[in-house]
Amino acid sequence: MAKSLIELRGVCRDYPAGDHLLTVLDTIDLTIKAGEMVAIVGASGSGKSTLMNIIGCLDRPSRGEYRVNGQPTDGLEPDQLAAFRREHFGFIFQRYHLLASLTALANVEMPAIYAGLATAPRQERARELLGRLGLADRLGHLPGQLSGGQQQRVSIARALMNGGAVILADEPTGALDSTSGAEVMTILKELHDHGHTIILVTHNMEVARHAGRIIALRDGRIVADQKVAPPGPTATLANRTTVAHPWRALWDRFAEAFRMALTAMAAHRLRTLLTMLGIIIGIGSVVAVVALGEGSRQRILKDIKSMGTNTISIFPGSDWGDMRSGRVRTLVPADAHALAEQPYVDTVTPVVNRSVTLVYRNVSVTAQVNGVGEHYFRVRGMELAEGRLFDAESVAASSQEVVIDQNTRRTLFKDNPAEALGAVIMLGKVPCRVVGVTRKADTSFGDTESLNVWTPYTTAMNRLTGQQYLRSITVRVADNVPTA
Ligand code: ADP
Ligand code: MG
């Protein structure tokens, strides 16, 4: 027997509603084994998406226990949870949630950018996945130039980018015509045949019937959990009548609610796409995020989390590969300050960088100087091996302080590593005192061999580069923002 992959025990999810708590998921006990294909059905508001969010670690239970592969998830730090999402889950949404100004290829690459995969293998994998899904000749197309069905296939490729052992699909066919919907279901079934675990939410019993197991939710409780024989060429009329009954009964029970729910969907989404694009690409649109209603904002944050990250990097320019982006000057420190004020933001750091020659005594090497804010190290989850980090005061004063990584210490202070702390090194023409050494290289982007040092961004801008614009802003999303 396959082992339990997903295990919920007594899981509840409450939301505050005025002066009381609304229990949206009520004591859910659910086990899903690796390799199963499961459909979750139920009326609108019955808790399907909330359950999916908990399964996908986009949200946490208020009470109860959730284990993946036997591993409890409640002790995981937000960073670990993000990595966990990346490793286990691929997400597919009703409206695809592709970034409108990125090509199909760039959209598929995205989760792997967060996973830190280098450019060449990343693009190769994205190309291969899109090819497998019949989109080899659409790599450079923007979502708007693709049909709904094609866009959903792009989002399936994106879900598979980091492996997607467990595919979570919330209404994947809800926005598609029946032909495209059938196509998407065929792909999901093929993925299932290839060993992926598929969990899908649907209003459509015809769609649900493709799963081997249908779980019905009502008012946050599981009211039915039935194995069904999926339809197929082997389903003769005789055994069809015997298997038809369970889902037919469910269908009758929920048909009306499903219809209502369908009408309730549909609003909002275009704006979500635009805004999400904005939050990743350009500050102009980030202002739009700030102006949006709470509901949409929560959806955006969920989109971001579903990519397996807690951090968003905002670059000027129009694409990941935009050659101009290094020269676009629209991003300034004031943008970072504005973002820091937002309730969904934990911490923000401006980033400027440039490569300079570091000199200490007779050693001279080229290194990347990262001008960052005092929150950078928290945003990036970096730790100190010794010394200290610079603080808000250092930033305000453009202090000539520098934090170096282990590679830099090994290279500059190879004769006497203990000498590093407190030493004064030259960053180009600017002398800076080494105040701290980081525990390990910042490996989430770039290679591990490079030499990295960090100074306050003010020091970098005012003393080193003379440039008054930023290379990027990195935002760490608040951990306690509810996702809806
Ligand atoms: P479904 O996906 O089945 O339509 P949801 O899981 O989205 O249902 O929502 C279940 C219930 O939880 C609904 O009544 C909804 O209003 C409520 N709910 C969902 N998210 C939130 C939230 N962030 N705050 C308060 N209530 C919420
Ligand atoms: Mg839903």
Side-chain angles (χ1 to χ4, degrees):
M1 207 180 217
K3 76 177 194 189
S4 300
L5 176 70
I6 303 282
E7 231 186 314
L8 293 91
R9 288 289 160 261
V11 163
C12 300
R13 181 69 170 94
D14 304 321
Y15 286 114
D19 55 357
H20 67 291
L21 286 178
L22 180 68
T23 299
V24 166
L25 287 181
D26 188 1
T27 330
I28 300 283
D29 291 311
L30 174 63
T31 303
I32 296 174
K33 294 190 166 58
E36 272 194 278
M37 181 160 180
V38 178
I40 298 172
V41 300
S44 179
S46 59
K48 303 183 298 296
S49 294
T50 307
L51 179 59
M52 288 288 263
N53 291 347
I54 286 176
I55 292 175
C57 300
L58 293 167
D59 189 17
R60 292 177 189 263
S62 308
R63 276 160 287 127
E65 198 185 23
Y66 176 35
R67 291 168 181 263
V68 180
N69 260 335
Q71 188 184 347
T73 55
D74 56 349
L76 295 177
E77 294 292 316
D79 288 343
Q80 296 173 310
L81 209 58
F84 201 72
R85 275 197 295 271
R86 228 160 34 212
E87 280 162 27
H88 290 87
F89 300 106
F91 297 85
I92 301 169
F93 300 100
Q94 180 183 17
R95 291 277 171 178
Y96 339 126
H97 291 206
L98 300 176
L99 301 185
S101 85
L102 296 190
T103 63
L105 188 69
N107 267 289
V108 176
E109 279 180 62
M110 188 106 99
I113 291 175
Y114 288 122
L117 194 62
T119 312
R122 189 175 76 216
Q123 292 191 340
E124 192 185 308
R125 175 159 175 80
R127 227 176 259 128
E128 189 213 308
L129 284 169
L130 284 166
R132 257 201 265 160
L133 291 167
L135 294 168
D137 54 351
R138 296 286 190 279
L139 303 181
H141 284 56
L142 298 174
Q145 300 168 324
L146 298 171
S147 72
Q150 289 171 330
Q151 289 183 63
Q152 193 59 302
R153 279 187 275 150
V154 172
S155 86
I156 294 172
R158 182 182 57 188
L160 294 171
M161 190 65 189
N162 289 340
V166 185
I167 302 277
L168 300 176
D170 198 341
E171 306 275 355
T173 63
L176 300 176
D177 61 67
S178 57
T179 313
S180 311
E183 209 174 81
V184 163
M185 283 314 299
T186 304
I187 295 167
L188 290 180
K189 282 199 292 184
E190 275 170 21
L191 291 171
H192 176 229
D193 289 343
H194 283 98
H196 291 262
T197 306
I198 313 279
I199 304 174
L200 98 137
V201 161
T202 182
H203 287 100
N204 184 337
M205 282 313 276
E206 288 299 321
V207 171
R209 214 158 57 90
H210 289 293
R213 178 177 171 194
I214 300 180
I215 292 167
L217 281 186
R218 187 167 56 198
D219 298 334
R221 288 171 167 273
I222 294 179
V223 293
D225 182 347
Q226 324 216 14
K227 295 251 188 305
V228 282
T234 52
T236 65
L237 202 61
N239 67 30
R240 266 182 95 126
T241 34
T242 54
V243 299
H245 178 67
W247 65 262
R248 181 55 71 186
L250 281 175
W251 173 230
D252 290 343
R253 197 141 102 214
F254 290 110
E256 182 52 33
F258 290 156
R259 249 191 311 278
M260 283 165 49
L262 274 176
T263 336
M265 310 295 300
H268 292 304
R269 302 291 176 144
L270 176 67
R271 216 155 157 215
T272 308
L273 279 180
L274 294 175
T275 318
M276 198 184 146
L277 163 75
I279 209 168
I280 291 168
I281 303 300
I283 196 72
S285 319
V286 171
V287 176
V289 178
V290 174
L292 279 182
E294 194 56 35
S296 334
R297 197 175 294 160
Q298 289 177 350
R299 260 193 299 279
I300 295 157
L301 294 171
K302 183 179 138 192
D303 287 351
I304 290 162
K305 287 185 175 180
S306 75
M307 294 190 183
T309 180
N310 280 328
T311 63
I312 321 158
S313 288
I314 299 161
F315 292 89
S318 60
D319 204 332
W320 291 108
D322 192 341
M323 293 309 290
R324 296 176 311 120
S325 80
R327 283 182 275 125
V328 176
R329 301 177 178 197
T330 48
L331 219 49
V332 294
D335 294 323
H337 302 326
L339 278 169
E341 298 299 311
Q342 301 310 313
Y344 53 86
V345 163
D346 174 298
T347 37
V348 168
T349 178
V351 179
V352 293
N353 36 42
R354 129 143 353 166
S355 85
V356 300
T357 305
L358 299 186
V359 181
Y360 181 71
R361 301 217 168 129
N362 57 348
V363 188
S364 159
V365 287
T366 304
Q368 181 80 359
V369 173
N370 304 280
V372 297
E374 71 274 18
H375 294 306
Y376 177 85
F377 304 95
R378 169 165 172 80
V379 169
R380 274 272 167 261
M382 286 168 66
E383 287 172 18
L384 271 180
E386 56 183 287
R388 61 174 176 83
L389 303 169
F390 45 81
D391 55 17
E393 250 169 65
S394 314
V395 172
S398 308
S399 293
Q400 285 163 254
E401 297 177 343
V402 62
V403 171
I404 67 177
D405 68 0
Q406 295 287 352
N407 288 343
T408 306
R409 169 156 76 176
R410 216 175 306 123
T411 311
L412 283 187
F413 301 95
K414 53 174 172 282
D415 298 332
N416 190 0
E419 222 171 61
L421 215 57
V424 173
I425 62 177
M426 297 299 291
L427 277 61
K429 296 192 175 89
V430 183
C432 290
R433 186 172 301 280
V434 177
V435 296
V437 183
T438 59
R439 192 172 290 283
K440 60 177 169 59
D442 178 15
T443 53
S444 48
F445 291 89
D447 65 277
T448 50
E449 294 307 306
S450 61
L451 308 186
N452 273 285
V453 307
W454 296 268
T455 67
Y457 71 94
T458 47
T459 310
M461 293 169 96
N462 300 331
R463 302 187 194 274
L464 218 64
T465 67
Q467 290 172 2
Q468 290 310 308
Y469 55 90
L470 302 173
R471 168 77 180 128
S472 63
I473 298 174
T474 302
V475 175
R476 182 183 172 119
V477 176
D479 298 329
N480 58 357
V481 175
T483 52

